[in-house]
Each structure stands twice: as C-alpha cells, then as structure tokens.
Amino acid sequence: QVQLVESGGGLVQPGESLRLSCAASGSISNINDMAWYRQAPGKERELVAGITSGGLTNYRYSVRGRFTISRDNAKTTVYLQMNSLKPEDTAVYYCNAGGRGVVLYGRPGTYWGQGTQVTVSS
C-alpha cells in the first residue's frame, strides 16, 4: 500500500502565496504519476495539476501561470507552489498518486491523501 500525507495548507489573503507538500510512503514502486486535486464546498473534486515520474506536467487552465507542480529527486514528495492566490482557489486540496495514466488521460490514481484546507480571503 501507499500512504500520502499532505501539509502546508492555511489561510492567506488574495495575491499571496502558499506551498503544499505531499509525502509518499509504503510501496512507492507503485507510484508513477502524482497529482493535486481540489474540492470546494458544493462542487465536485477537480484536477489542479499532475506530474509524471519524468517531470512532464499538466495544469488546469484556471491555474496556469500561477501554480507550479514539482517532485523531489527521490520522487517520493510532490509540491504545489501556489502564487497569486484568488478566493476561488479556496478548497480542500488532495494529493493523488497512481500509474502512468494519471497525467496522460487525466484519470485519478489509486491512492489519495486526507487533504489540506486552503482558504483565500481578505
């Protein structure tokens, strides 16, 4: 099994920045692609950004140019740097991991973290 633990959420004002982290443990050989999803109150969970083991990335249109997804050298930790945050970015952000189809097909991976709250408000 794979365990994913998110951290870095919090309350910020519009225009400020936040960095989320997700640490993977367990059977990490099962992980190829990793991604961040988010879910706001009353809305469905949506893909924010994804990254392959080789560093290929994909972003939701509304966050392009503002958010950056990355992985460490061991490929066991994924980050989401969020700049120029807007109130509409407010949501619970979930780390996701799985096989090679996550980024290519936009399909969620098998493993999920518990989520971390991001609130953008003045």
Side-chain angles (χ1 to χ4, degrees), residues 56-74:
L56 181 67
T57 59
N58 187 43
Y59 296 90
R60 187 176 195 85
Y61 181 82
S62 63
V63 308
R64 290 177 183 176
R66 299 190 297 121
F67 291 10
T68 302
I69 189 170
S70 61
R71 299 173 78 159
D72 64 7
N73 291 333

Side-chain angles (χ1 to χ4, degrees), residues 5-119:
V5 180
E6 303 98 333
S7 62
L11 173 64
V12 297
Q13 294 184 326
E16 295 184 341
S17 298
L18 208 57
R19 171 173 268 209
L20 306 182
S21 299
C22 173
S25 62
S27 301
I28 58 175
S29 62
N30 295 331
I31 297 176
N32 286 292
D33 294 358
M34 299 187 74
W36 288 95
Y37 283 73
R38 68 186 181 187
Q39 187 167 23
K43 300 185 67 176
E44 295 185 347
R45 191 170 299 186
E46 62 185 23
L47 175 69
V48 179
I51 185 169
T52 69
S53 60
L56 181 67
T57 59
N58 187 43
Y59 296 90
R60 187 176 195 85
Y61 181 82
S62 63
V63 308
R64 290 177 183 176
R66 299 190 297 121
F67 291 10
T68 302
I69 189 170
S70 61
R71 299 173 78 159
D72 64 7
N73 291 333
K75 305 296 190 294
T76 56
T77 304
V78 64
Y79 306 92
L80 186 67
Q81 178 66 45
M82 304 184 293
N83 298 328
S84 302
L85 282 162
K86 304 175 180 180
E88 48 263 47
D89 295 317
T90 296
V92 177
Y93 283 70
Y94 296 91
C95 184
N96 175 252
R100 298 187 182 275
V102 176
V103 173
L104 180 61
Y105 301 112
R107 186 176 300 121
T110 302
Y111 309 104
W112 292 93
Q114 293 299 305
T116 184
Q117 177 70 47
V118 172
T119 302

